Amino acid sequence: MRISYNWLKQFLKTDQNPDELAVVLTDLGLEVESVEAFESVKGGLKGVVVGHVLTCEKHPNADRLKVTTVDVGEATPLQIVCGAANVAAGQKVPVATIGAVLHTHSGESFTIKKGKIRDVESFGMICAEDEIGLGSSHNGILVLDSKLKPGTALAATYNIESDFIFEIGLTPNRADAMSHLGVARDLRAGLLQKSSVPELQTPSISSFRVDKRTLKIDVKVADSKLVPRYCGVTISGVTVKDSPTWLQNKLKAIGLTPKNNVVDVTNYVLHELGQPLHAFDTAKINGQKINVRTATAGEKLLTLDDQERELHEDDLVIADAQNPLCLAGVFGGKNSGVSNETTAIFLESAYFNPVSVRKTAKRHGLSTDASFRFERGIDPNITEYALKRAALLIQEVAGGEITSDIIDIHPKKIEPFTVFLNLQKAQKIIGQQIPADTIKKILASLDIKINSVTDTGLGLLIPPYRVDVQREIDVIEEILRVYGYNNIQFSKKLNATVANSPRTESFKLENSIATQLAANGFYEMMANSLTSPEHASEDAVKLLNPLSSDLAVLRTNMLDSALEAVAYNSNRKNKDLKFFEFGKVYHTNNGAYQEAKKLTLVITGNRYGENWITPAQPTSFYELKAIVTNILKRLGIDRYDNESFSSESISEGLRLFDREGTLASIGLVHGASLKKHGIKQAVFYAELDWEAVCKRVTTKLKITDIPKFPEVSRDLALLLDESVSFNDLAQAAKQTEKSLLKSVDLFDVYVGENLPAGKKSYALSFVLQDKDKTLTDSQIDKVMSKLTDVFAKQFEATLR
């Protein structure tokens, strides 16, 4: 943001130089990134003086050149060769003397040197207006007022303005400082800590008056929530033309290109007071009516950039009796703006809902000076004042009369924010005792009123334009930045406390598991918590002010994030993937917000790449299951059950759970979910409830001796109904033989020919061991017989 030093001094009469003010502004948090010198005419016309042409003769060696003698206020006139057709004796002309550096209208620059043109010496240059940056004309030399004295510096004649421009790196929360008035307000508060405190002077509007009531525009506001305040007035008899030099110079100094006197005034007041304004040509307002409403879906508007835009039903527009005239607070319409033929205007000053303006600007890809301020929140109490200020300036530079009363639609006044400041808490956070009188003086300098005083603190009223100060901590920050961070004393003694956090801290467990997964070939991913509503459930947390329609809610699941990463990589020929992510999902429940942390894993493609000795091995459900069980084992969780499940997103899955709830779920992603993301290969997905897992983590170590006696393995091939799962068989086996049975594994499944309908074959392996002695054949046979009987009774299993 560019701020003019001279402009600031219209609000604050200070004798501090730009570099000194830059330090104060930076200390206040308005970081000055640079201070640049500015001249309304580049170079300041240094070395260019008024000359009086004494003689003008034809050049002896050139038909189109003339040899002149010019009085430039020195003892001896200068001989100058000139090629302009309109040069003549008796004229007062601009003369660039030897050594002068000229900056042309086109941006080029050159130095005047003594020269010889066609054998005739020349000691300077008689200039056209484009050659010294005063205009674009090159139709002959510039002829000056005959009353000017030779030798007078041309800069004094044209009132060349010199200024210094602060380039301020403004943070988005400081909407109050997006104008010269706002910066001056802050600067005054900062100077309060110095020896001198200049008075803040604002432009007077006391001369505003209604001249006639001959042009009334009826205004109707459809929704006061979208337009809390709307002001307007008509001005008739204006003459639209170029702005006066002073106004053009002010705008040029801050990087704006002058348009015409009416538009320039609206831009001037915008950067002076921070209030966006818009001027409509009343001749282009159908029915002499202004309707502030939302657009009808499909309505079209030709904007100032010559683009026809199709409006959204949520776009706020300023319309007449028939059509939209402009996008409220964002961009003007081509067919309703001020032109050279305009003789009467309707001047608008309003406070629009920041969220509505932001959505419209983002929807149409527009960012203007007006939307930049409306989006962040302007001062709703300056609306009428800015309107009167602009109306008076328009009368000054364009003539005209005020031909209507001010329309001010303001159904509900926007009240100040109320905050209670606990002085003891402020002292604790600041780290230093600031006298209460100093705090009160700082608050007063920031227009923060003290509403009540108690033994513990102050009840405060924050002005509505300070949208970033709504909490006690915000007020403390305001006090601290104005008091000066550099004024806070630091103790020479450094105290520190080393916290002893347990090994089961979530972040420690995350690091441990992340290292384990990375060692297994996984890459960590970090997806955006914001997502599209189509990827979220109905209980999603909706953003009040979303960046876009694709980032309008917080995610309710992490599967879509994982699938987006898979799709992104597979579309770039990277199909063998292993990803994991620690993240959160968000839900609403009866108005309350809930969040839960998850660990998700996704694998797809081949487990190992194909090579000369080993064919490609696709990833599988069992590989992912092994990864999940190893994670749980690493965390000391080994007591849980499992069951199969399916859902809208998982076609075949396994859920791991205990008495307290679900620990993890693993499964094959449903084809419909893959198709939605354009994925054409199988994807396996696992999700661990990280909060539940952390609650069950145990750090107790169990140390057991290596068994002295050998294990014994026995196999059974069973013919079973297709409905019987391996988990059913394993649970039954463990319940039957608790002391000797160490593990049960499934090593073969057969379904097909030579089996009865509805049957399948399972080949199971059983490992038996006695820690006190070697098992005998009779003991082994007894256990296997018992297991066979249980399988037969419970599952009607038969041996093959």
PDB file of all heavy atoms in Angstrom, residues 598-599 628 632 637-641 655-666 686-697:
ATOM      1  N   LYS A 598      -7.074 -39.055  12.964  1.00  0.00           N
ATOM      2  CA  LYS A 598      -6.980 -40.354  12.311  1.00  0.00           C
ATOM      3  C   LYS A 598      -5.576 -40.567  11.756  1.00  0.00           C
ATOM      4  O   LYS A 598      -4.854 -39.615  11.462  1.00  0.00           O
ATOM      5  CB  LYS A 598      -7.981 -40.458  11.148  1.00  0.00           C
ATOM      6  CG  LYS A 598      -9.427 -40.115  11.497  1.00  0.00           C
ATOM      7  CD  LYS A 598     -10.081 -41.182  12.331  1.00  0.00           C
ATOM      8  CE  LYS A 598     -11.554 -40.843  12.588  1.00  0.00           C
ATOM      9  NZ  LYS A 598     -12.217 -41.867  13.418  1.00  0.00           N
ATOM     10  N   LEU A 599      -5.222 -41.845  11.631  1.00  0.00           N
ATOM     11  CA  LEU A 599      -4.049 -42.239  10.849  1.00  0.00           C
ATOM     12  C   LEU A 599      -4.570 -43.076   9.691  1.00  0.00           C
ATOM     13  O   LEU A 599      -5.247 -44.085   9.905  1.00  0.00           O
ATOM     14  CB  LEU A 599      -3.064 -43.055  11.682  1.00  0.00           C
ATOM     15  CG  LEU A 599      -1.988 -43.814  10.900  1.00  0.00           C
ATOM     16  CD1 LEU A 599      -1.114 -42.860  10.089  1.00  0.00           C
ATOM     17  CD2 LEU A 599      -1.122 -44.661  11.830  1.00  0.00           C
ATOM     18  N   VAL A 628      -0.928 -52.767   9.499  1.00  0.00           N
ATOM     19  CA  VAL A 628      -1.754 -52.242  10.586  1.00  0.00           C
ATOM     20  C   VAL A 628      -1.519 -53.011  11.882  1.00  0.00           C
ATOM     21  O   VAL A 628      -1.360 -52.415  12.958  1.00  0.00           O
ATOM     22  CB  VAL A 628      -3.248 -52.271  10.194  1.00  0.00           C
ATOM     23  CG1 VAL A 628      -4.130 -51.902  11.382  1.00  0.00           C
ATOM     24  CG2 VAL A 628      -3.512 -51.334   9.030  1.00  0.00           C
ATOM     25  N   LEU A 632      -0.105 -51.672  15.628  1.00  0.00           N
ATOM     26  CA  LEU A 632      -0.717 -51.921  16.933  1.00  0.00           C
ATOM     27  C   LEU A 632       0.235 -52.678  17.847  1.00  0.00           C
ATOM     28  O   LEU A 632       0.327 -52.398  19.052  1.00  0.00           O
ATOM     29  CB  LEU A 632      -2.025 -52.699  16.750  1.00  0.00           C
ATOM     30  CG  LEU A 632      -3.132 -51.964  15.970  1.00  0.00           C
ATOM     31  CD1 LEU A 632      -4.342 -52.861  15.789  1.00  0.00           C
ATOM     32  CD2 LEU A 632      -3.526 -50.672  16.667  1.00  0.00           C
ATOM     33  N   ILE A 637      -0.463 -52.987  21.703  1.00  0.00           N
ATOM     34  CA  ILE A 637      -1.894 -53.342  21.659  1.00  0.00           C
ATOM     35  C   ILE A 637      -2.008 -54.692  20.966  1.00  0.00           C
ATOM     36  O   ILE A 637      -1.745 -54.810  19.765  1.00  0.00           O
ATOM     37  CB  ILE A 637      -2.702 -52.276  20.887  1.00  0.00           C
ATOM     38  CG1 ILE A 637      -2.501 -50.890  21.522  1.00  0.00           C
ATOM     39  CG2 ILE A 637      -4.178 -52.637  20.837  1.00  0.00           C
ATOM     40  CD1 ILE A 637      -3.105 -49.759  20.729  1.00  0.00           C
ATOM     41  N   ASP A 638      -2.382 -55.711  21.718  1.00  0.00           N
ATOM     42  CA  ASP A 638      -2.467 -57.049  21.122  1.00  0.00           C
ATOM     43  C   ASP A 638      -3.766 -57.764  21.470  1.00  0.00           C
ATOM     44  O   ASP A 638      -3.985 -58.906  21.056  1.00  0.00           O
ATOM     45  CB  ASP A 638      -1.275 -57.912  21.554  1.00  0.00           C
ATOM     46  CG  ASP A 638      -1.116 -57.976  23.069  1.00  0.00           C
ATOM     47  OD1 ASP A 638      -2.009 -57.464  23.781  1.00  0.00           O
ATOM     48  OD2 ASP A 638      -0.101 -58.518  23.534  1.00  0.00           O
ATOM     49  N   ARG A 639      -4.623 -57.099  22.214  1.00  0.00           N
ATOM     50  CA  ARG A 639      -5.894 -57.729  22.598  1.00  0.00           C
ATOM     51  C   ARG A 639      -7.036 -57.031  21.864  1.00  0.00           C
ATOM     52  O   ARG A 639      -7.464 -55.943  22.253  1.00  0.00           O
ATOM     53  CB  ARG A 639      -6.117 -57.647  24.111  1.00  0.00           C
ATOM     54  CG  ARG A 639      -5.106 -58.449  24.916  1.00  0.00           C
ATOM     55  CD  ARG A 639      -5.391 -58.345  26.400  1.00  0.00           C
ATOM     56  NE  ARG A 639      -4.446 -59.101  27.174  1.00  0.00           N
ATOM     57  CZ  ARG A 639      -4.580 -60.401  27.465  1.00  0.00           C
ATOM     58  NH1 ARG A 639      -5.641 -61.051  27.040  1.00  0.00           N
ATOM     59  NH2 ARG A 639      -3.666 -61.025  28.186  1.00  0.00           N
ATOM     60  N   TYR A 640      -7.487 -57.634  20.798  1.00  0.00           N
ATOM     61  CA  TYR A 640      -8.601 -57.078  20.038  1.00  0.00           C
ATOM     62  C   TYR A 640      -9.199 -58.178  19.182  1.00  0.00           C
ATOM     63  O   TYR A 640      -8.573 -59.212  18.916  1.00  0.00           O
ATOM     64  CB  TYR A 640      -8.161 -55.900  19.167  1.00  0.00           C
ATOM     65  CG  TYR A 640      -6.987 -56.180  18.273  1.00  0.00           C
ATOM     66  CD1 TYR A 640      -7.154 -56.792  17.037  1.00  0.00           C
ATOM     67  CD2 TYR A 640      -5.695 -55.819  18.657  1.00  0.00           C
ATOM     68  CE1 TYR A 640      -6.070 -57.063  16.216  1.00  0.00           C
ATOM     69  CE2 TYR A 640      -4.602 -56.077  17.848  1.00  0.00           C
ATOM     70  CZ  TYR A 640      -4.792 -56.689  16.631  1.00  0.00           C
ATOM     71  OH  TYR A 640      -3.717 -56.952  15.814  1.00  0.00           O
ATOM     72  N   ASP A 641     -10.430 -57.971  18.756  1.00  0.00           N
ATOM     73  CA  ASP A 641     -11.126 -58.920  17.889  1.00  0.00           C
ATOM     74  C   ASP A 641     -11.261 -58.299  16.511  1.00  0.00           C
ATOM     75  O   ASP A 641     -10.942 -57.120  16.283  1.00  0.00           O
ATOM     76  CB  ASP A 641     -12.511 -59.241  18.460  1.00  0.00           C
ATOM     77  CG  ASP A 641     -12.418 -59.973  19.795  1.00  0.00           C
ATOM     78  OD1 ASP A 641     -11.548 -60.845  19.912  1.00  0.00           O
ATOM     79  OD2 ASP A 641     -13.200 -59.635  20.706  1.00  0.00           O
ATOM     80  N   ARG A 655     -12.737 -55.034  10.358  1.00  0.00           N
ATOM     81  CA  ARG A 655     -12.715 -54.067  11.450  1.00  0.00           C
ATOM     82  C   ARG A 655     -12.047 -54.678  12.668  1.00  0.00           C
ATOM     83  O   ARG A 655     -12.394 -55.802  13.076  1.00  0.00           O
ATOM     84  CB  ARG A 655     -14.148 -53.638  11.792  1.00  0.00           C
ATOM     85  CG  ARG A 655     -14.235 -52.513  12.822  1.00  0.00           C
ATOM     86  CD  ARG A 655     -15.662 -52.040  12.989  1.00  0.00           C
ATOM     87  NE  ARG A 655     -16.457 -53.004  13.746  1.00  0.00           N
ATOM     88  CZ  ARG A 655     -16.629 -52.968  15.075  1.00  0.00           C
ATOM     89  NH1 ARG A 655     -16.058 -51.994  15.782  1.00  0.00           N
ATOM     90  NH2 ARG A 655     -17.367 -53.862  15.692  1.00  0.00           N
ATOM     91  N   LEU A 656     -11.073 -53.991  13.247  1.00  0.00           N
ATOM     92  CA  LEU A 656     -10.396 -54.413  14.470  1.00  0.00           C
ATOM     93  C   LEU A 656     -10.982 -53.624  15.630  1.00  0.00           C
ATOM     94  O   LEU A 656     -11.025 -52.390  15.582  1.00  0.00           O
ATOM     95  CB  LEU A 656      -8.883 -54.168  14.362  1.00  0.00           C
ATOM     96  CG  LEU A 656      -8.188 -54.702  13.100  1.00  0.00           C
ATOM     97  CD1 LEU A 656      -6.694 -54.438  13.172  1.00  0.00           C
ATOM     98  CD2 LEU A 656      -8.461 -56.182  12.905  1.00  0.00           C
ATOM     99  N   PHE A 657     -11.402 -54.317  16.685  1.00  0.00           N
ATOM    100  CA  PHE A 657     -12.095 -53.629  17.771  1.00  0.00           C
ATOM    101  C   PHE A 657     -11.862 -54.342  19.090  1.00  0.00           C
ATOM    102  O   PHE A 657     -11.412 -55.499  19.138  1.00  0.00           O
ATOM    103  CB  PHE A 657     -13.599 -53.575  17.483  1.00  0.00           C
ATOM    104  CG  PHE A 657     -14.253 -54.927  17.422  1.00  0.00           C
ATOM    105  CD1 PHE A 657     -14.887 -55.472  18.543  1.00  0.00           C
ATOM    106  CD2 PHE A 657     -14.231 -55.678  16.254  1.00  0.00           C
ATOM    107  CE1 PHE A 657     -15.487 -56.721  18.492  1.00  0.00           C
ATOM    108  CE2 PHE A 657     -14.835 -56.936  16.197  1.00  0.00           C
ATOM    109  CZ  PHE A 657     -15.454 -57.451  17.319  1.00  0.00           C
ATOM    110  N   ASP A 658     -12.149 -53.649  20.166  1.00  0.00           N
ATOM    111  CA  ASP A 658     -12.180 -54.254  21.496  1.00  0.00           C
ATOM    112  C   ASP A 658     -13.450 -53.786  22.185  1.00  0.00           C
ATOM    113  O   ASP A 658     -14.335 -53.226  21.545  1.00  0.00           O
ATOM    114  CB  ASP A 658     -10.919 -53.916  22.300  1.00  0.00           C
ATOM    115  CG  ASP A 658     -10.746 -52.404  22.503  1.00  0.00           C
ATOM    116  OD1 ASP A 658     -11.719 -51.661  22.245  1.00  0.00           O
ATOM    117  OD2 ASP A 658      -9.659 -51.968  22.905  1.00  0.00           O
ATOM    118  N   ARG A 659     -13.538 -53.997  23.488  1.00  0.00           N
ATOM    119  CA  ARG A 659     -14.761 -53.669  24.205  1.00  0.00           C
ATOM    120  C   ARG A 659     -15.051 -52.171  24.232  1.00  0.00           C
ATOM    121  O   ARG A 659     -16.198 -51.759  24.403  1.00  0.00           O
ATOM    122  CB  ARG A 659     -14.688 -54.205  25.637  1.00  0.00           C
ATOM    123  CG  ARG A 659     -14.915 -55.708  25.732  1.00  0.00           C
ATOM    124  CD  ARG A 659     -14.874 -56.192  27.150  1.00  0.00           C
ATOM    125  NE  ARG A 659     -13.535 -56.099  27.715  1.00  0.00           N
ATOM    126  CZ  ARG A 659     -13.198 -56.514  28.951  1.00  0.00           C
ATOM    127  NH1 ARG A 659     -14.140 -57.022  29.731  1.00  0.00           N
ATOM    128  NH2 ARG A 659     -11.979 -56.409  29.381  1.00  0.00           N
ATOM    129  N   GLU A 660     -14.040 -51.344  24.061  1.00  0.00           N
ATOM    130  CA  GLU A 660     -14.229 -49.907  24.133  1.00  0.00           C
ATOM    131  C   GLU A 660     -14.559 -49.274  22.782  1.00  0.00           C
ATOM    132  O   GLU A 660     -14.935 -48.100  22.709  1.00  0.00           O
ATOM    133  CB  GLU A 660     -12.975 -49.249  24.708  1.00  0.00           C
ATOM    134  CG  GLU A 660     -12.711 -49.661  26.151  1.00  0.00           C
ATOM    135  CD  GLU A 660     -11.503 -48.926  26.719  1.00  0.00           C
ATOM    136  OE1 GLU A 660     -11.287 -47.762  26.331  1.00  0.00           O
ATOM    137  OE2 GLU A 660     -10.780 -49.519  27.532  1.00  0.00           O
ATOM    138  N   GLY A 661     -14.391 -50.027  21.691  1.00  0.00           N
ATOM    139  CA  GLY A 661     -14.729 -49.467  20.396  1.00  0.00           C
ATOM    140  C   GLY A 661     -13.768 -49.880  19.300  1.00  0.00           C
ATOM    141  O   GLY A 661     -12.897 -50.748  19.489  1.00  0.00           O
ATOM    142  N   THR A 662     -13.908 -49.257  18.154  1.00  0.00           N
ATOM    143  CA  THR A 662     -13.114 -49.592  16.977  1.00  0.00           C
ATOM    144  C   THR A 662     -11.705 -49.011  17.090  1.00  0.00           C
ATOM    145  O   THR A 662     -11.524 -47.854  17.473  1.00  0.00           O
ATOM    146  CB  THR A 662     -13.778 -49.054  15.705  1.00  0.00           C
ATOM    147  OG1 THR A 662     -15.075 -49.647  15.577  1.00  0.00           O
ATOM    148  CG2 THR A 662     -12.951 -49.366  14.476  1.00  0.00           C
ATOM    149  N   LEU A 663     -10.728 -49.842  16.732  1.00  0.00           N
ATOM    150  CA  LEU A 663      -9.341 -49.403  16.678  1.00  0.00           C
ATOM    151  C   LEU A 663      -8.939 -49.047  15.254  1.00  0.00           C
ATOM    152  O   LEU A 663      -8.289 -48.033  15.006  1.00  0.00           O
ATOM    153  CB  LEU A 663      -8.406 -50.489  17.210  1.00  0.00           C
ATOM    154  CG  LEU A 663      -8.524 -50.828  18.698  1.00  0.00           C
ATOM    155  CD1 LEU A 663      -7.703 -52.064  19.020  1.00  0.00           C
ATOM    156  CD2 LEU A 663      -8.052 -49.654  19.530  1.00  0.00           C
ATOM    157  N   ALA A 664      -9.328 -49.902  14.317  1.00  0.00           N
ATOM    158  CA  ALA A 664      -8.906 -49.685  12.931  1.00  0.00           C
ATOM    159  C   ALA A 664      -9.863 -50.397  12.000  1.00  0.00           C
ATOM    160  O   ALA A 664     -10.582 -51.331  12.388  1.00  0.00           O
ATOM    161  CB  ALA A 664      -7.485 -50.192  12.713  1.00  0.00           C
ATOM    162  N   SER A 665      -9.872 -49.946  10.748  1.00  0.00           N
ATOM    163  CA  SER A 665     -10.625 -50.638   9.709  1.00  0.00           C
ATOM    164  C   SER A 665      -9.746 -50.701   8.472  1.00  0.00           C
ATOM    165  O   SER A 665      -8.990 -49.770   8.170  1.00  0.00           O
ATOM    166  CB  SER A 665     -11.937 -49.894   9.397  1.00  0.00           C
ATOM    167  OG  SER A 665     -11.685 -48.551   9.033  1.00  0.00           O
ATOM    168  N   ILE A 666      -9.836 -51.836   7.772  1.00  0.00           N
ATOM    169  CA  ILE A 666      -8.984 -52.091   6.612  1.00  0.00           C
ATOM    170  C   ILE A 666      -9.881 -52.632   5.516  1.00  0.00           C
ATOM    171  O   ILE A 666     -10.795 -53.429   5.786  1.00  0.00           O
ATOM    172  CB  ILE A 666      -7.893 -53.149   6.935  1.00  0.00           C
ATOM    173  CG1 ILE A 666      -7.232 -52.839   8.279  1.00  0.00           C
ATOM    174  CG2 ILE A 666      -6.864 -53.235   5.820  1.00  0.00           C
ATOM    175  CD1 ILE A 666      -6.520 -54.034   8.890  1.00  0.00           C
ATOM    176  N   ALA A 686      -6.677 -48.178   4.847  1.00  0.00           N
ATOM    177  CA  ALA A 686      -6.815 -48.472   6.275  1.00  0.00           C
ATOM    178  C   ALA A 686      -6.924 -47.166   7.039  1.00  0.00           C
ATOM    179  O   ALA A 686      -6.274 -46.165   6.679  1.00  0.00           O
ATOM    180  CB  ALA A 686      -5.627 -49.272   6.776  1.00  0.00           C
ATOM    181  N   GLU A 687      -7.742 -47.185   8.077  1.00  0.00           N
ATOM    182  CA  GLU A 687      -7.923 -45.994   8.907  1.00  0.00           C
ATOM    183  C   GLU A 687      -7.890 -46.397  10.362  1.00  0.00           C
ATOM    184  O   GLU A 687      -8.640 -47.273  10.799  1.00  0.00           O
ATOM    185  CB  GLU A 687      -9.243 -45.315   8.566  1.00  0.00           C
ATOM    186  CG  GLU A 687      -9.492 -44.026   9.357  1.00  0.00           C
ATOM    187  CD  GLU A 687     -10.743 -43.313   8.904  1.00  0.00           C
ATOM    188  OE1 GLU A 687     -10.727 -42.728   7.797  1.00  0.00           O
ATOM    189  OE2 GLU A 687     -11.747 -43.362   9.652  1.00  0.00           O
ATOM    190  N   LEU A 688      -6.995 -45.795  11.138  1.00  0.00           N
ATOM    191  CA  LEU A 688      -6.888 -46.042  12.569  1.00  0.00           C
ATOM    192  C   LEU A 688      -7.440 -44.842  13.325  1.00  0.00           C
ATOM    193  O   LEU A 688      -7.121 -43.687  12.986  1.00  0.00           O
ATOM    194  CB  LEU A 688      -5.432 -46.267  12.990  1.00  0.00           C
ATOM    195  CG  LEU A 688      -4.784 -47.604  12.643  1.00  0.00           C
ATOM    196  CD1 LEU A 688      -4.389 -47.645  11.163  1.00  0.00           C
ATOM    197  CD2 LEU A 688      -3.558 -47.872  13.514  1.00  0.00           C
ATOM    198  N   ASP A 689      -8.274 -45.122  14.311  1.00  0.00           N
ATOM    199  CA  ASP A 689      -8.756 -44.065  15.199  1.00  0.00           C
ATOM    200  C   ASP A 689      -7.614 -43.732  16.152  1.00  0.00           C
ATOM    201  O   ASP A 689      -7.402 -44.422  17.150  1.00  0.00           O
ATOM    202  CB  ASP A 689      -9.992 -44.546  15.958  1.00  0.00           C
ATOM    203  CG  ASP A 689     -10.630 -43.434  16.785  1.00  0.00           C
ATOM    204  OD1 ASP A 689      -9.903 -42.495  17.179  1.00  0.00           O
ATOM    205  OD2 ASP A 689     -11.839 -43.491  17.041  1.00  0.00           O
ATOM    206  N   TRP A 690      -6.869 -42.668  15.818  1.00  0.00           N
ATOM    207  CA  TRP A 690      -5.623 -42.410  16.527  1.00  0.00           C
ATOM    208  C   TRP A 690      -5.853 -42.084  17.998  1.00  0.00           C
ATOM    209  O   TRP A 690      -5.058 -42.488  18.861  1.00  0.00           O
ATOM    210  CB  TRP A 690      -4.872 -41.268  15.842  1.00  0.00           C
ATOM    211  CG  TRP A 690      -3.492 -41.067  16.395  1.00  0.00           C
ATOM    212  CD1 TRP A 690      -3.017 -40.021  17.092  1.00  0.00           C
ATOM    213  CD2 TRP A 690      -2.396 -41.986  16.284  1.00  0.00           C
ATOM    214  NE1 TRP A 690      -1.705 -40.214  17.436  1.00  0.00           N
ATOM    215  CE2 TRP A 690      -1.297 -41.414  16.944  1.00  0.00           C
ATOM    216  CE3 TRP A 690      -2.254 -43.237  15.690  1.00  0.00           C
ATOM    217  CZ2 TRP A 690      -0.067 -42.052  17.036  1.00  0.00           C
ATOM    218  CZ3 TRP A 690      -1.021 -43.865  15.774  1.00  0.00           C
ATOM    219  CH2 TRP A 690       0.060 -43.283  16.443  1.00  0.00           C
ATOM    220  N   GLU A 691      -6.928 -41.386  18.308  1.00  0.00           N
ATOM    221  CA  GLU A 691      -7.205 -41.062  19.705  1.00  0.00           C
ATOM    222  C   GLU A 691      -7.518 -42.315  20.504  1.00  0.00           C
ATOM    223  O   GLU A 691      -7.069 -42.458  21.646  1.00  0.00           O
ATOM    224  CB  GLU A 691      -8.354 -40.059  19.780  1.00  0.00           C
ATOM    225  CG  GLU A 691      -7.997 -38.705  19.172  1.00  0.00           C
ATOM    226  CD  GLU A 691      -9.171 -37.761  19.060  1.00  0.00           C
ATOM    227  OE1 GLU A 691     -10.312 -38.225  19.300  1.00  0.00           O
ATOM    228  OE2 GLU A 691      -8.966 -36.584  18.731  1.00  0.00           O
ATOM    229  N   ALA A 692      -8.281 -43.237  19.902  1.00  0.00           N
ATOM    230  CA  ALA A 692      -8.580 -44.497  20.585  1.00  0.00           C
ATOM    231  C   ALA A 692      -7.322 -45.335  20.746  1.00  0.00           C
ATOM    232  O   ALA A 692      -7.101 -45.957  21.791  1.00  0.00           O
ATOM    233  CB  ALA A 692      -9.633 -45.272  19.790  1.00  0.00           C
ATOM    234  N   VAL A 693      -6.479 -45.351  19.720  1.00  0.00           N
ATOM    235  CA  VAL A 693      -5.236 -46.109  19.790  1.00  0.00           C
ATOM    236  C   VAL A 693      -4.332 -45.569  20.893  1.00  0.00           C
ATOM    237  O   VAL A 693      -3.759 -46.332  21.678  1.00  0.00           O
ATOM    238  CB  VAL A 693      -4.510 -46.076  18.428  1.00  0.00           C
ATOM    239  CG1 VAL A 693      -3.089 -46.600  18.555  1.00  0.00           C
ATOM    240  CG2 VAL A 693      -5.280 -46.893  17.402  1.00  0.00           C
ATOM    241  N   CYS A 694      -4.211 -44.237  20.981  1.00  0.00           N
ATOM    242  CA  CYS A 694      -3.335 -43.630  21.988  1.00  0.00           C
ATOM    243  C   CYS A 694      -3.791 -43.959  23.406  1.00  0.00           C
ATOM    244  O   CYS A 694      -2.964 -44.097  24.317  1.00  0.00           O
ATOM    245  CB  CYS A 694      -3.274 -42.119  21.797  1.00  0.00           C
ATOM    246  SG  CYS A 694      -2.360 -41.609  20.324  1.00  0.00           S
ATOM    247  N   LYS A 695      -5.115 -44.082  23.615  1.00  0.00           N
ATOM    248  CA  LYS A 695      -5.628 -44.413  24.945  1.00  0.00           C
ATOM    249  C   LYS A 695      -5.244 -45.827  25.381  1.00  0.00           C
ATOM    250  O   LYS A 695      -5.163 -46.113  26.565  1.00  0.00           O
ATOM    251  CB  LYS A 695      -7.150 -44.270  24.962  1.00  0.00           C
ATOM    252  CG  LYS A 695      -7.639 -42.826  24.871  1.00  0.00           C
ATOM    253  CD  LYS A 695      -9.158 -42.783  24.859  1.00  0.00           C
ATOM    254  CE  LYS A 695      -9.660 -41.344  24.714  1.00  0.00           C
ATOM    255  NZ  LYS A 695     -11.146 -41.293  24.646  1.00  0.00           N
ATOM    256  N   ARG A 696      -5.017 -46.699  24.408  1.00  0.00           N
ATOM    257  CA  ARG A 696      -4.760 -48.100  24.727  1.00  0.00           C
ATOM    258  C   ARG A 696      -3.273 -48.454  24.692  1.00  0.00           C
ATOM    259  O   ARG A 696      -2.902 -49.601  24.894  1.00  0.00           O
ATOM    260  CB  ARG A 696      -5.518 -48.996  23.741  1.00  0.00           C
ATOM    261  CG  ARG A 696      -7.046 -48.896  23.906  1.00  0.00           C
ATOM    262  CD  ARG A 696      -7.738 -49.407  22.663  1.00  0.00           C
ATOM    263  NE  ARG A 696      -9.173 -49.439  22.730  1.00  0.00           N
ATOM    264  CZ  ARG A 696      -9.969 -48.373  22.650  1.00  0.00           C
ATOM    265  NH1 ARG A 696      -9.450 -47.174  22.530  1.00  0.00           N
ATOM    266  NH2 ARG A 696     -11.275 -48.508  22.701  1.00  0.00           N
ATOM    267  N   VAL A 697      -2.452 -47.461  24.409  1.00  0.00           N
ATOM    268  CA  VAL A 697      -1.011 -47.731  24.336  1.00  0.00           C
ATOM    269  C   VAL A 697      -0.490 -48.114  25.708  1.00  0.00           C
ATOM    270  O   VAL A 697      -0.847 -47.519  26.727  1.00  0.00           O
ATOM    271  CB  VAL A 697      -0.261 -46.484  23.825  1.00  0.00           C
ATOM    272  CG1 VAL A 697       1.238 -46.654  23.963  1.00  0.00           C
ATOM    273  CG2 VAL A 697      -0.618 -46.219  22.372  1.00  0.00           C
TER     274      VAL A 697
END
